[in-house]
Amino acid sequence: VLALEILEKFLLGSNKIYERMLDIGVGSGILSIAACRLGVKEVMGVDIEQKSIEELEKNTRINGLDGRIKAEVGNPSLLKDSVSLIICNMILCELFSIRYDLKRLTNEGGVLICSGILAGQEHELRTEFFQLGFNFCNKLERENWCAIQFKKI
């Protein structure tokens, strides 16, 4: 829920149309579908579960977004093109394991949204991503969970 809220708040407050977004850990595609509904032209996602990709494809069809959301089984190392908007809804250890891919895939000036973080882990995440060249921009926190928005400098 926090990931969806912070994504919606960001996109509705932006005066920019995003051509492409990456959804890392795409799951059933809720964030990708919401992003398209909020104006993102195309979403590319990855997930380590084949079942998630199948669910995403079904949900994409149901929502009439065929061709706008594409995903494959695997991890972010498969992705080659950097973008200006990335969202990841995963726990801290998973984020840390892909942090160099997130750095590589985020354009300079691009936005990275991380969710699925326990509130007590926020400082650790912010410190690590600052060292990777990301500035903290915003956060939402509820019931001991948080979503954090960064900007790559």
Side-chain angles (χ1 to χ4, degrees):
V1 173
L2 287 177
L4 184 58
E5 284 183 43
I6 200 166
L7 177 65
E8 179 181 38
K9 183 176 180 180
F10 170 71
L11 287 172
L12 291 176
S14 177
N15 59 359
K16 178 179 177 179
I17 300 292
Y18 285 85
E19 292 296 319
R20 295 187 67 225
M21 180 183 94
L22 296 179
D23 188 346
I24 310 298
V26 69
S28 65
I30 287 176
L31 298 173
S32 295
I33 291 165
C36 287
R37 296 261 185 245
L38 292 166
V40 174
K41 302 286 186 203
E42 179 183 277
V43 178
M44 178 62 196
V46 291
D47 201 292
I48 59 171
E49 299 286 334
Q50 176 64 38
K51 196 169 192 105
S52 293
I53 302 303
E54 292 166 8
E55 190 68 20
L56 165 80
E57 290 169 351
K58 182 180 89 175
N59 291 335
T60 299
R61 280 190 304 279
I62 289 169
N63 283 276
L65 296 170
D66 288 330
R68 290 183 61 192
I69 302 172
K70 299 176 183 112
E72 57 187 78
V73 176
N75 60 54
S77 64
L78 295 172
L79 302 170
K80 302 301 177 217
D81 297 330
S82 62
V83 297
S84 296
L85 179 58
I86 298 178
I87 191 160
C88 304
N89 189 22
M90 48 183 59
I91 61 174
L92 186 68
C93 66
E94 293 170 336
L95 282 169
F96 277 10
S97 73
I98 63 166
R99 66 189 180 274
Y100 297 111
D101 284 314
L102 294 174
K103 177 182 178 178
R104 176 181 60 82
L105 293 167
T106 308
N107 287 339
E108 184 176 317
V111 171
L112 170 64
I113 296 172
C114 299
S115 187
I117 310 303
L118 290 170
Q121 297 172 327
E122 176 191 348
H123 178 74
E124 190 177 353
L125 181 73
R126 286 176 61 169
T127 299
E128 181 65 30
F129 277 77
F130 179 76
Q131 292 172 358
L132 291 172
F134 290 89
N135 279 341
F136 169 80
C137 295
N138 190 21
K139 82 169 182 176
L140 291 178
E141 186 174 332
R142 190 175 307 116
E143 298 174 13
N144 204 35
W145 292 94
C146 64
I148 301 173
Q149 177 186 328
F150 296 99
K151 183 173 187 171
K152 187 174 179 187
I153 50 177

